Amino acid sequence: MTFMLKLTNEIFTCHFERVKSRPGADAGKDKHLVPDEEYNEFWEAFYGALTSRFDFSFPVLDAQEKINPYFGYFGFRFHPIKLEPNYFHLGLDISDKSKTQVTPILDGILEYSGFGLVNGNYVFLSHPNVVTEDGFKLYSIYMHLKNTAVKFSSYQKMLRQISFNHYPSIEIKKTDVLGGMGSSGISEGVHVHLHLQLEFRDEKGNIIVIDPAKVLGLQKSANLSENIKSVEEFEKFKKENENDIKKYFSFKK
């Protein structure tokens, strides 16, 4: 089933309406767009339509109990590695022990499996059954893995290059293991960073990053570090919450 969303006879349009540039400390450094809170009613309906029409799964067992409440929700936080306030986090961080199995949120197609300096070991999937009226498709990315369990062979990589990434098409099921949780790339503590985006792949730069918690049907929460404005405040905050923060940052790589 292809996902087509209309509200009050209005086509869901991603290009210039109901979205804004990524705000915060890294504003302007990338071309990512995020939902504009001025259109909150629309986006709530959008997330509701997604959760009602598709059977999304958590990427980790009992993931809802393992989300990092300090830095792991979609939205503003104090960046614990860059030590930057007012940083807009584009994803959902779920912490657990090293090698914990990570699975897809939905059946999809393998687009990439490999290593990036920031993402570490990661898997990139497309979900061709989830597409908006104006041609934006859903993609999911699973970052900072210890290892990747799905990948293209050398021959398949060659075929992908000469076919402009169209062939072969490798299906990934929700029950398939994508890899083990780790702390590769720019990461502090063992976790998986789940990143969801709506992308119009024929037009460079049109990427809308959406809230994974809401796609998974979870209640939206603000990061507990959201209002920290300086490194001094952060050090005090970290000391006051040291024992609890260790639950998310003390696992061995």
Side-chain angles (χ1 to χ4, degrees):
M1 177 179 68
T2 298
F3 175 61
M4 298 291 186
L5 177 64
K6 291 186 179 182
L7 295 176
T8 60
N9 298 320
E10 195 171 19
I11 293 176
F12 172 59
T13 303
C14 296
H15 290 276
F16 301 108
E17 299 177 6
R18 307 182 182 93
V19 295
K20 63 181 181 180
S21 296
R22 177 187 186 176
D26 273 4
K29 293 183 180 179
D30 56 40
K31 294 185 178 181
H32 288 137
L33 303 170
V34 296
D36 190 336
E37 60 273 9
E38 289 189 16
Y39 298 95
N40 189 55
E41 184 177 347
F42 171 83
W43 285 105
E44 287 299 322
F46 175 77
Y47 287 122
L50 278 178
T51 57
S52 66
R53 299 184 195 191
F54 294 93
D55 184 23
F56 291 101
S57 296
F58 294 124
V60 176
L61 186 65
D62 298 324
Q64 66 272 34
E65 301 172 7
K66 301 170 182 176
I67 299 170
N68 185 328
Y70 296 94
F71 315 102
Y73 282 101
F74 185 88
F76 286 105
R77 68 173 183 174
F78 186 92
H79 199 297
I81 300 175
K82 294 184 177 181
L83 300 179
E84 289 182 355
N86 200 37
Y87 185 93
F88 198 94
H89 185 229
L90 294 175
L92 188 69
D93 289 350
I94 304 166
S95 301
D96 210 328
K97 295 180 180 179
S98 181
K99 300 182 182 179
T100 297
Q101 292 185 342
V102 176
T103 54
I105 61 168
L106 196 67
D107 292 351
I109 302 296
L110 180 62
E111 297 291 341
Y112 181 81
S113 174
F115 181 82
L117 291 177
V118 176
N119 297 349
N121 296 313
Y122 73 103
V123 175
F124 183 30
L125 303 179
S126 64
H127 304 281
N129 288 337
V130 187
V131 60
T132 67
E133 187 81 16
D134 54 345
F136 279 75
K137 188 189 301 182
L138 179 67
Y139 292 80
S140 61
I141 312 176
Y142 310 79
M143 305 179 190
H144 309 306
L145 302 175
K146 186 175 184 65
N147 65 290
T148 57
V150 294
K151 58 189 68 178
F152 295 108
S153 68
S154 297
Y155 179 63
Q156 289 171 330
K157 287 180 180 179
M158 181 191 71
L159 293 177
R160 295 276 295 180
Q161 287 179 340
I162 63 177
S163 67
F164 299 99
N165 294 327
H166 292 301
Y167 180 84
S169 179
I170 297 180
E171 295 185 6
I172 303 294
K173 298 297 183 183
K174 285 199 303 181
T175 53
D176 292 337
V177 176
L178 300 177
M181 193 180 291
S183 188
S184 58
I186 298 180
S187 167
E188 185 172 343
V190 176
H191 72 282
V192 60
H193 173 96
L194 175 62
H195 176 105
L196 300 182
Q197 63 190 41
L198 296 165
E199 184 175 346
F200 195 81
R201 302 217 77 182
D202 292 334
E203 293 190 14
K204 186 178 181 180
N206 283 324
I207 297 175
I208 302 170
V209 186
I210 58 177
D211 188 345
K214 291 200 170 187
V215 172
L216 295 173
L218 301 175
Q219 196 68 28
K220 168 68 177 176
S221 293
N223 290 305
L224 296 178
S225 64
E226 178 182 29
N227 296 318
I228 297 175
K229 301 302 181 185
S230 67
V231 175
E232 291 75 21
E233 283 184 39
F234 174 64
E235 291 301 327
K236 181 180 178 182
F237 175 84
K238 193 165 63 169
K239 187 174 182 179
E240 290 173 348
N241 299 279
E242 183 176 7
N243 291 333
D244 196 39
I245 289 177
K246 282 182 178 179
K247 296 177 184 177
Y248 307 98
F249 285 159
S250 63
F251 297 115
K252 292 183 180 179
K253 296 183 181 181

